[in-house]
Amino acid sequence: MIDKANQHQNPTPALGKSTHPPKSWRTWLIGRPLHTADAPHQTIGKLVGLAVFASDALSSTAYATQEMLMILAIAGTAAFHYSLPIAMGIVALLAILTLSYEQTIHAYPNGGGAYIVARDNLGNLPALIAGAALLTDYILTVSVSISSGIAQIVSAYPALYGLRIEIAVFMVFFIMLINLRGVKESGATFAIPTYFFLAMMFLTVGEGLVKVLMGNLGTVVNPPHMELIDLPQPISFFLILRAFSNGTSAVTGVEAISNGITAFKEPRSKNAGQTLIWMSVILGSLMLAITFLAYSMGAVPSETETIISQIARTVFNGTGLLYFLMITATTVILVMAANTAFADFPRLGALISQDGYLPRQFSYRGSRLVYSRGIVALAVIASLLIILFKASVTNLIPLYAIGVFLSFSLSQFGMAHRWWKSGQLKPGEEKQEPGSVVRHEKSWLVKMLINGFGGLTTFVVMIVFAITKFTDGAWIIIVLTPLLVIAFEAIHAHYKNVARQLSLDAYDNPPQLKADHVIIMLGGVHKSSLASLQYARTLSDDVRALHVSIDPEDTRRIAAKWEKWGGGVPLVILESPYRLFIEPVLDYIEQLDQQREPGEVITIVVPQFITSRWLNFLHARTADTLRKVLLAKENVVIIEVPYRITEPYGLPAQHG
Amino acid sequence: MIDKANQHQNPTPALGKSTHPPKSWRTWLIGRPLHTADAPHQTIGKLVGLAVFASDALSSTAYATQEMLMILAIAGTAAFHYSLPIAMGIVALLAILTLSYEQTIHAYPNGGGAYIVARDNLGNLPALIAGAALLTDYILTVSVSISSGIAQIVSAYPALYGLRIEIAVFMVFFIMLINLRGVKESGATFAIPTYFFLAMMFLTVGEGLVKVLMGNLGTVVNPPHMELIDLPQPISFFLILRAFSNGTSAVTGVEAISNGITAFKEPRSKNAGQTLIWMSVILGSLMLAITFLAYSMGAVPSETETIISQIARTVFNGTGLLYFLMITATTVILVMAANTAFADFPRLGALISQDGYLPRQFSYRGSRLVYSRGIVALAVIASLLIILFKASVTNLIPLYAIGVFLSFSLSQFGMAHRWWKSGQLKPGEEKQEPGSVVRHEKSWLVKMLINGFGGLTTFVVMIVFAITKFTDGAWIIIVLTPLLVIAFEAIHAHYKNVARQLSLDAYDNPPQLKADHVIIMLGGVHKSSLASLQYARTLSDDVRALHVSIDPEDTRRIAAKWEKWGGGVPLVILESPYRLFIEPVLDYIEQLDQQREPGEVITIVVPQFITSRWLNFLHARTADTLRKVLLAKENVVIIEVPYRITEPYGLPAQHG
């Protein structure tokens, strides 16, 4: 007899093992499991924060200029002199965004991604649109950054061109593993390479600018073959807008910090805000410098050699050590950019999932306190995109920036609306809004205008992007985003429906369920079915055994054995001339169900003999199928009485 | 209350629907289900029998000569004059085999494949070796025949060369579908094309021989580029043996009839025997004629144009209508050869499965009375081989004939042993041997010598083949066959172990199982868990609820609700700081298990709320995982109390 008193109402049972972390091959791959209580300690400072969150934005300097030139090239190399003014426009856009997001970071110290800001200030639908836009954006960040990283490698080692897709997919899964280990280790792992990249970048750009001043920069030796992605055409305003659109890929990633504020050490907002400003200053200067140098030395866009590679070998007079260090640094920062998405995508997925718009599994933390399912989903989808678009940045870029700018606009319009509400309050007054507290702020009008202008600018950029890139691939995102929103709403409707039907509100008379009618599924008469028989007889007086007859010879043998062992329990035989098993049983249950009194329950006892799961394929497992089908019926309870078969070869049993 | 008397001991219940055939997309694809009673009617006459079973053997004339020349070409075209003597040797081998198998067919009217003959007369191990050899042989028949069929198509339409693998795999699945419909329809579908092939073949060969006699045959115009599969070397005895080995692929398929005797109309043995002799005569003549013509007109072996294509366009003076009819007929007969394997592989699989050496599912007949699983398995494996070996007959042929000749030898040694036993009996006497009755036969010595000589010949051929083709791919089969035999034995050991452990022999005191301790798994307090609670309370007085605490907030809410709705059933809370669910439950059950009295049973009640299976991915399904894990434990019974959630969008429920 079990000592019951010992077990009841025991909130912290001395049950030993469950409080110890489990060990397995996963431990080796992603590290020892972390205790839930460890969660708050996993935060980072400004220096590491810049490394983790700014890599997306900084790394886009590796391809933004190149993709801008890719468009201008359609109008011939003479059109390249538009590149510097376009780059300046992009830097202006960056400045507006930075100002705007700095305000967001202080207003939302718990993480003010576009999803949260839109949800709190504009409502559910805009929030879901922002959510859909951001999720696709994060996926593309991974695909684009890794593809560009591969392009750098191929510039240095052209022999690897044929393997670029394989290398890209391998890299995505490598980053996935790092992220499954948790954010703190990512920070430490990634800080050194980010600063290595910045050092190499400043060295290259600095050396280049000095050479320009001294007048001895020269031009690119043996430039790659310039590729045209369209038929040649004269320069036009539309073409300039297309080039600008491609160039805006430089500002993607600016929002990363505002989503990840909670990862920063206290004071969070201040640290995050300063990191944002530093990041923008570095990004803007690099964008201008790279574009200027590329133009000065006559670099041309090409799939076989990147602009960065051309700049580096021209500045350093050939492919020596510094060239290789620069290429390595660029590749590594691009890989880390993908890592930014691996921090943000699962976090946003968990947020949307907690609101009930994505499968709940996305909000479960894995053994290392990270949202493992989101991390794995991101890796899989990004890899698929890389394979589909052949790891080409030029192919992927038209899908990229729409989502970014859509979420930028929604976020900033949300902030503008929030400042307007702030302006309606009296000085010192504060008001609880859904999600956050709105306080009166003296400078609310200026702040509203800044965010409103930012929102308007990014909205216009998005429209420009959608129009100029529509046929190149932007249409995919324009179609996909509403579909994602519909999927979110459908998932939400399902969860609400389940919750409503399970709810105990206004439920005062639970049904009195018991085993009224018991049926034993009889495949054969043996120890396993006898165990089920013994159990079934303790449940009810109305017990019968059911056998589906496929082979009459078999059936005769079973009936005879049942006569001896069945203990008087009647045997029902269902003929199955079409050798079906499930259907006759279903029909029989259906008939019983119709004769049933209201409230009565039919209990099906399924004898299960359990062998090693490695040998499951040797058994037809009809019991499993039957169980699945019958579970869907109302008023049917399934009982499985296992009978364990031991394996002589030391094979593991059903589990572990 | 259900009327019990009405249901009991009812061997043919008037339960309506289960005796009607089910309808679905499968019905459209493979035809309406057939009643078990329809089985014996599915037999065929000699003409149709020749079409169904001889196509394998006859079709090998499409590649045997070519593969022979492929080897001789290594020693230069001058070596081609060895082709006719080699072909004669192969025809002699064919004659020996025919004589030998004719005896088998009469001794084994219920189907005397190598597996059965070896099992009855030599024992289990030789039978399993023969079975493994035959199964691999059938798979290769499909791969080789379809690949050769594609080679004919490519000869006529070289543009299709790039698509040959895709077309081949498509064809395999097309034949699979035809076979899933059942053997009678295969017969009808395939009789016309076989005779069309024979007509075209005799026309081509006849016209060719007449032209040789008239002296106006000429040579192949624009012969394809002759390919060498090895470095050139002088002619040697070893090379002649290699060519002979390749040529023996012509006699593969001779055993098909002896395996398929039961498909013939009565008198089975007579009909099957006559069909065999007709088949061999046709096969032998064609082999000699094709080899002679190929030599006479200077045809050369090549992957881009088959020998058959070269003969046809030379005989018919170009690629006119008759040429295309000949190519079509050859392609079609090769496709049908694959069909032979689709008749024999599943039948042999079912036989071995009934003996307990293959998963039992292979002996279940599908809705159209065919062994569906064997048919599907054959299609899948043969397609994989086609993909791996790039649909090239020359690549596949070294794997092909070893299995055939191994099974030939075992079958004939088995027969020889049987005649020897027959000779030990007195005239008129008969003796029951395992599987069949052995009678005294007057001419037992002659028959024994015939079968013994046949066995010896094929054994020598197998050794020659294994040695000359070892490095070309024969080693794969030499390694695979013993592995298959080991797998057969392992499967058998498993089934025997299960049967022994389940057996009721010497079992006189069944345990008295009942729900001694009942545990309700509590994820939340709602209608579904209350349904489980109600059911559980009728089972035992020792009922408790178990909750794994991952989020303390959640746990507090659940405990409070349980206070109100739990009806006094105690709640056990397991802390899970590592956010694991299964492991703490397992630990708890483990501890309970140790405190349990011998013979007591722990019953776990799992509340299951059931949504549409299309939406299953939205729920974590931890209940399913838990069930699987707990099923493996002894003395644990699982009860699932379903609570069905209706879907508002008319989505189908868990099943149909």
Side-chain angles (χ1 to χ4, degrees):
Chain A
M1 191 49 209
I2 294 171
D3 176 16
K4 283 163 63 180
N6 187 5
Q7 304 288 342
H8 295 164
Q9 307 285 12
N10 188 352
T12 46
L15 283 174
K17 277 185 280 182
S18 74
T19 53
H20 289 90
K23 274 175 195 163
S24 70
W25 57 272
R26 282 207 205 100
T27 309
W28 175 82
L29 208 58
I30 64 169
R32 67 169 182 86
L34 295 176
H35 199 288
T36 306
D38 290 345
H41 304 300
Q42 299 285 77
T43 58
I44 52 184
K46 273 183 285 187
L47 273 178
V48 176
L50 188 68
V52 170
F53 290 109
S55 53
D56 178 8
L58 295 181
S59 70
S60 45
T61 55
Y63 49 84
T65 299
Q66 170 157 348
E67 297 305 321
M68 209 163 75
L69 295 178
M70 225 20 135
I71 300 292
L72 292 176
I74 299 172
T77 47
F80 285 174
H81 74 260
Y82 288 99
S83 62
L84 205 58
I86 294 174
M88 285 172 183
I90 289 164
V91 170
L93 179 66
L94 174 64
I96 296 168
L97 274 171
T98 306
L99 214 60
S100 213
Y101 267 97
E102 226 280 324
Q103 296 188 164
T104 308
I105 286 174
H106 283 90
Y108 279 90
N110 290 320
Y115 176 71
I116 291 179
V117 174
R119 186 185 65 187
D120 288 358
N121 300 297
L122 300 175
N124 264 337
L125 188 62
L128 293 180
I129 296 171
L134 280 170
L135 289 180
T136 46
D137 168 42
Y138 291 141
I139 295 165
L140 282 157
T141 297
V142 176
S143 306
V144 167
S145 304
I146 295 296
S147 299
S148 177
I150 300 302
Q152 312 299 337
I153 295 176
V154 167
S155 299
Y157 304 96
L160 293 176
Y161 187 78
L163 280 173
R164 66 198 190 288
I165 297 173
E166 287 82 352
I167 302 175
V169 171
F170 173 81
M171 276 189 178
V172 170
F173 281 88
F174 179 72
I175 303 172
M176 180 188 84
L177 278 187
I178 289 174
N179 277 276
L180 287 174
R181 293 188 77 99
V183 70
K184 191 161 190 178
E185 283 166 59
S186 298
T189 318
F190 282 58
I192 297 164
T194 301
Y195 291 106
F196 173 55
F197 167 75
L198 283 180
M200 283 312 301
M201 205 50 155
F202 284 127
L203 181 65
T204 310
V205 164
E207 171 89 6
L209 292 176
V210 166
K211 283 193 169 169
V212 170
L213 284 176
M214 311 286 283
N216 61 354
L217 178 66
T219 54
V220 179
V221 180
N222 288 329
H225 174 70
M226 188 169 82
E227 284 149 24
L228 292 194
I229 58 170
D230 254 338
L231 290 178
Q233 47 184 269
I235 189 76
S236 63
F237 185 59
F238 186 76
L239 209 64
I240 289 176
L241 282 184
R242 272 179 78 185
F244 173 78
S245 297
N246 265 13
T248 57
S249 58
V251 304
T252 58
V254 166
E255 83 292 354
I257 291 177
S258 69
N259 287 313
I261 308 174
T262 48
F264 279 87
K265 283 211 172 74
E266 294 288 1
R268 287 181 195 168
S269 291
K270 191 164 164 255
N271 285 330
Q274 286 176 358
T275 310
L276 172 65
I277 290 168
W278 269 106
M279 180 183 85
S280 295
V281 169
I282 297 169
L283 171 59
S285 337
L286 287 181
M287 178 73 195
L288 286 175
I290 290 171
T291 308
F292 174 69
L293 284 176
Y295 178 65
S296 305
M297 66 179 63
V300 295
S302 157
E303 286 276 334
T304 52
E305 187 182 7
T306 63
I307 291 287
I308 295 291
S309 167
Q310 293 173 53
I311 290 179
R313 71 181 166 89
T314 306
V315 166
F316 298 130
N317 300 317
T319 55
L321 177 66
L322 286 173
Y323 168 82
F324 280 103
L325 287 178
M326 179 65 214
I327 292 293
T328 307
T330 310
T331 306
V332 170
I333 192 90
L334 283 161
V335 170
M336 287 162 51
N339 189 60
T340 304
F342 272 94
D344 277 344
F345 179 95
R347 194 181 281 125
L348 178 60
L351 215 58
I352 300 179
S353 157
Q354 277 156 14
D355 288 348
Y357 292 96
L358 266 181
R360 229 156 252 171
Q361 291 89 318
F362 282 105
S363 64
Y364 298 162
R365 281 177 189 270
S367 64
R368 295 284 293 180
L369 286 171
V370 294
Y371 300 111
S372 327
R373 284 180 177 82
I375 292 173
V376 174
L378 175 60
V380 170
I381 306 173
S383 299
L384 282 179
L385 280 179
I386 288 174
I387 295 167
L388 280 175
F389 289 86
K390 301 193 167 53
S392 154
V393 176
T394 308
N395 289 347
L396 284 162
I397 215 94
L399 283 70
Y400 192 17
I402 292 193
V404 185
F405 283 98
L406 181 52
S407 68
F408 281 169
S409 305
L410 287 166
S411 161
Q412 288 168 103
F413 285 138
M415 286 305 294
H417 188 237
R418 184 186 169 89
W419 298 126
W420 184 81
K421 284 187 291 188
S422 163
Q424 308 309 303
L425 299 174
K426 294 195 182 68
E429 198 183 355
E430 55 179 57
K431 195 175 162 195
Q432 178 64 46
E433 291 279 326
S436 64
V437 174
V438 177
R439 283 184 196 79
H440 174 83
E441 297 239 8
K442 251 196 294 200
S443 49
W444 68 270
L445 190 63
V446 176
K447 291 189 168 176
M448 186 180 89
L449 288 175
I450 289 174
N451 277 135
F453 180 69
L456 203 67
T457 312
T458 48
F459 186 74
V460 170
V461 171
M462 183 197 74
I463 298 291
V464 169
F465 197 101
I467 293 171
T468 57
K469 301 269 142 194
F470 189 82
T471 51
D472 294 340
W475 66 269
I476 298 175
I477 301 299
I478 293 168
V479 170
L480 193 69
T481 307
L483 289 182
L484 270 176
V485 172
I486 291 169
F488 289 162
E489 294 282 12
I491 289 170
H492 193 60
H494 171 76
Y495 281 135
K496 267 170 71 180
N497 175 44
V498 169
R500 190 177 48 73
Q501 291 193 41
L502 287 178
S503 166
L504 296 172
D505 300 341
Y507 183 68
D508 34 47
N509 191 18
Q512 297 303 315
L513 303 183
K514 65 186 178 64
D516 301 294
H517 312 288
V518 178
I519 298 170
I520 307 166
M521 295 307 309
L522 203 67
V525 183
H526 42 56
K527 283 183 190 164
S528 174
S529 46
L530 285 200
S532 294
L533 171 66
Q534 298 306 327
Y535 194 89
R537 292 176 77 176
T538 66
L539 299 176
S540 167
D541 293 331
D542 177 12
V543 179
R544 72 198 75 178
L546 192 65
H547 174 69
V548 178
S549 169
I550 288 170
D551 178 348
E553 194 52 50
D554 257 11
T555 304
R556 260 191 299 279
R557 218 171 17 238
I558 284 167
K561 271 191 170 177
W562 193 251
E563 201 64 43
K564 179 179 174 196
W565 294 98
V569 165
L571 174 64
V572 179
I573 291 164
L574 300 178
E575 294 291 333
S576 177
Y578 295 98
R579 299 165 306 288
L580 299 166
F581 178 76
I582 305 292
E583 290 79 355
V585 173
L586 270 185
D587 289 343
Y588 183 78
I589 307 272
E590 195 61 51
Q591 295 225 350
L592 269 192
D593 196 41
Q594 280 158 20
Q595 297 166 43
R596 192 177 53 82
E597 299 278 312
E600 283 187 348
V601 168
I602 299 170
T603 297
I604 316 275
V605 179
V606 185
Q608 290 261 35
F609 59 86
I610 307 298
T611 60
S612 163
R613 65 173 159 161
W614 304 107
L615 298 173
N616 256 350
F617 70 97
L618 295 176
H619 300 278
R621 321 275 352 134
T622 34
D624 278 0
T625 317
L626 190 68
R627 169 189 158 268
K628 265 192 202 140
V629 171
L630 290 178
L631 260 185
K633 299 194 87 69
E634 207 133 15
N635 302 306
V636 171
V637 168
I638 315 282
I639 298 188
E640 291 172 284
V641 182
Y643 187 89
R644 192 165 173 192
I645 308 280
T646 52
E647 295 297 334
Y649 311 118
L651 270 171
Q654 195 80 359
H655 186 267
Chain B
M1 195 42 213
I2 294 172
D3 176 18
K4 282 164 63 183
N6 188 5
Q7 305 287 344
H8 295 162
Q9 307 286 7
N10 188 352
T12 47
L15 282 174
K17 277 184 282 180
S18 75
T19 53
H20 290 89
K23 275 176 194 160
S24 71
W25 56 272
R26 282 207 205 103
T27 308
W28 175 82
L29 208 58
I30 64 169
R32 64 168 185 87
L34 295 176
H35 199 288
T36 308
D38 290 346
H41 304 300
Q42 299 285 78
T43 58
I44 51 184
K46 274 183 285 187
L47 274 178
V48 175
L50 187 68
V52 170
F53 291 109
S55 53
D56 178 8
L58 295 181
S59 70
S60 45
T61 55
Y63 50 82
T65 299
Q66 170 157 350
E67 297 305 322
M68 209 161 75
L69 295 179
M70 230 12 140
I71 301 293
L72 292 176
I74 300 171
T77 47
F80 287 173
H81 74 262
Y82 288 98
S83 62
L84 207 58
I86 294 175
M88 285 171 184
I90 289 163
V91 170
L93 178 65
L94 173 65
I96 295 168
L97 273 172
T98 306
L99 214 60
S100 212
Y101 268 97
E102 227 279 324
Q103 296 189 165
T104 308
I105 286 174
H106 283 89
Y108 278 89
N110 290 321
Y115 176 71
I116 291 179
V117 174
R119 186 187 63 188
D120 289 358
N121 300 298
L122 300 176
N124 264 337
L125 188 63
L128 293 179
I129 295 170
L134 280 170
L135 289 179
T136 46
D137 168 42
Y138 292 141
I139 294 165
L140 282 157
T141 298
V142 175
S143 307
V144 166
S145 303
I146 294 295
S147 298
S148 177
I150 300 302
Q152 311 299 335
I153 295 177
V154 167
S155 299
Y157 304 96
L160 293 177
Y161 187 78
L163 281 173
R164 64 199 191 287
I165 297 173
E166 288 83 351
I167 302 174
V169 171
F170 173 82
M171 276 188 178
V172 170
F173 281 88
F174 180 72
I175 304 171
M176 179 189 83
L177 278 188
I178 289 174
N179 278 277
L180 287 174
R181 294 186 76 98
V183 70
K184 192 162 193 180
E185 285 168 58
S186 297
T189 317
F190 281 59
I192 297 165
T194 302
Y195 290 105
F196 171 56
F197 168 74
L198 285 180
M200 284 309 303
M201 205 49 155
F202 283 128
L203 181 65
T204 310
V205 164
E207 173 90 3
L209 293 177
V210 167
K211 283 193 170 170
V212 170
L213 286 177
M214 311 287 282
N216 61 355
L217 177 68
T219 56
V220 178
V221 180
N222 289 329
H225 174 71
M226 188 168 82
E227 284 148 24
L228 292 194
I229 57 171
D230 253 337
L231 290 178
Q233 47 184 269
I235 189 77
S236 63
F237 184 61
F238 186 76
L239 209 64
I240 289 176
L241 281 184
R242 270 179 81 185
F244 173 79
S245 296
N246 264 12
T248 57
S249 57
V251 305
T252 58
V254 166
E255 81 293 354
I257 292 177
S258 69
N259 287 314
I261 308 173
T262 49
F264 280 87
K265 283 212 173 74
E266 295 287 0
R268 287 181 194 168
S269 291
K270 193 164 162 252
N271 285 329
Q274 286 177 359
T275 310
L276 172 65
I277 290 170
W278 269 106
M279 182 183 84
S280 296
V281 170
I282 297 169
L283 172 59
S285 335
L286 287 180
M287 179 73 194
L288 287 176
I290 290 171
T291 308
F292 175 67
L293 283 175
Y295 179 65
S296 304
M297 65 179 64
V300 294
S302 158
E303 285 276 334
T304 52
E305 188 181 6
T306 63
I307 291 287
I308 295 292
S309 168
Q310 294 172 53
I311 291 179
R313 71 181 166 89
T314 307
V315 166
F316 298 129
N317 298 316
T319 55
L321 177 67
L322 284 173
Y323 168 81
F324 279 103
L325 286 178
M326 180 63 215
I327 292 293
T328 308
T330 310
T331 306
V332 171
I333 192 87
L334 282 160
V335 170
M336 287 161 51
N339 189 60
T340 304
F342 272 94
D344 278 345
F345 179 94
R347 194 181 280 124
L348 179 60
L351 214 59
I352 299 179
S353 157
Q354 277 155 16
D355 289 348
Y357 291 96
L358 266 181
R360 232 156 247 172
Q361 291 90 320
F362 283 104
S363 64
Y364 298 163
R365 282 176 189 270
S367 63
R368 296 284 293 178
L369 286 171
V370 294
Y371 299 111
S372 326
R373 284 181 177 81
I375 291 173
V376 173
L378 174 59
V380 170
I381 306 172
S383 299
L384 282 179
L385 280 179
I386 287 174
I387 295 167
L388 280 175
F389 288 87
K390 301 194 167 52
S392 154
V393 176
T394 307
N395 290 346
L396 284 162
I397 217 92
L399 282 70
Y400 193 17
I402 292 193
V404 184
F405 283 98
L406 180 53
S407 67
F408 282 168
S409 305
L410 287 165
S411 161
Q412 289 166 104
F413 285 139
M415 286 304 294
H417 187 236
R418 185 186 168 87
W419 298 127
W420 185 82
K421 284 187 289 188
S422 164
Q424 309 309 304
L425 298 174
K426 295 197 180 68
E429 197 182 356
E430 56 179 53
K431 193 176 165 195
Q432 180 64 46
E433 291 280 326
S436 65
V437 174
V438 177
R439 284 184 195 79
H440 174 83
E441 298 238 8
K442 251 198 291 203
S443 48
W444 68 270
L445 190 63
V446 177
K447 292 188 168 176
M448 187 182 88
L449 289 176
I450 289 174
N451 278 134
F453 181 67
L456 203 67
T457 312
T458 48
F459 186 76
V460 170
V461 171
M462 184 197 73
I463 298 292
V464 168
F465 198 101
I467 293 170
T468 57
K469 300 271 143 191
F470 189 81
T471 51
D472 293 341
W475 65 269
I476 298 175
I477 301 298
I478 292 168
V479 169
L480 193 68
T481 307
L483 289 181
L484 271 175
V485 172
I486 290 169
F488 289 161
E489 294 282 13
I491 289 170
H492 192 60
H494 171 75
Y495 282 134
K496 266 171 70 180
N497 174 44
V498 169
R500 188 178 48 74
Q501 291 194 39
L502 287 178
S503 165
L504 296 173
D505 298 345
Y507 183 67
D508 34 46
N509 192 18
Q512 298 302 315
L513 302 183
K514 66 186 176 66
D516 301 293
H517 311 289
V518 178
I519 297 170
I520 307 167
M521 294 308 309
L522 203 67
V525 182
H526 43 55
K527 284 184 190 164
S528 174
S529 46
L530 284 201
S532 293
L533 171 66
Q534 298 307 325
Y535 194 91
R537 292 177 74 177
T538 66
L539 298 177
S540 167
D541 294 329
D542 177 12
V543 179
R544 71 197 78 177
L546 192 64
H547 174 69
V548 178
S549 169
I550 288 169
D551 178 349
E553 194 53 51
D554 257 12
T555 305
R556 261 191 297 280
R557 220 171 17 239
I558 285 166
K561 271 189 169 179
W562 192 251
E563 202 63 43
K564 179 179 173 195
W565 292 98
V569 165
L571 174 65
V572 179
I573 290 164
L574 300 179
E575 294 292 333
S576 178
Y578 296 98
R579 298 165 309 286
L580 300 166
F581 178 76
I582 304 293
E583 289 79 355
V585 174
L586 271 184
D587 289 342
Y588 183 78
I589 307 271
E590 196 60 52
Q591 297 228 348
L592 270 192
D593 196 42
Q594 279 160 20
Q595 296 166 43
R596 192 177 53 83
E597 299 279 310
E600 283 187 345
V601 167
I602 300 170
T603 297
I604 317 276
V605 179
V606 185
Q608 289 262 33
F609 61 86
I610 306 298
T611 61
S612 163
R613 63 171 158 159
W614 304 108
L615 298 174
N616 255 352
F617 71 96
L618 294 177
H619 301 279
R621 321 274 352 133
T622 34
D624 278 1
T625 317
L626 189 68
R627 170 189 157 267
K628 266 194 201 136
V629 171
L630 290 178
L631 261 182
K633 298 194 87 69
E634 209 134 15
N635 302 307
V636 171
V637 168
I638 315 282
I639 299 189
E640 291 173 283
V641 182
Y643 187 89
R644 193 166 173 192
I645 307 281
T646 52
E647 294 297 333
Y649 311 117
L651 271 171
Q654 195 80 359
H655 186 264

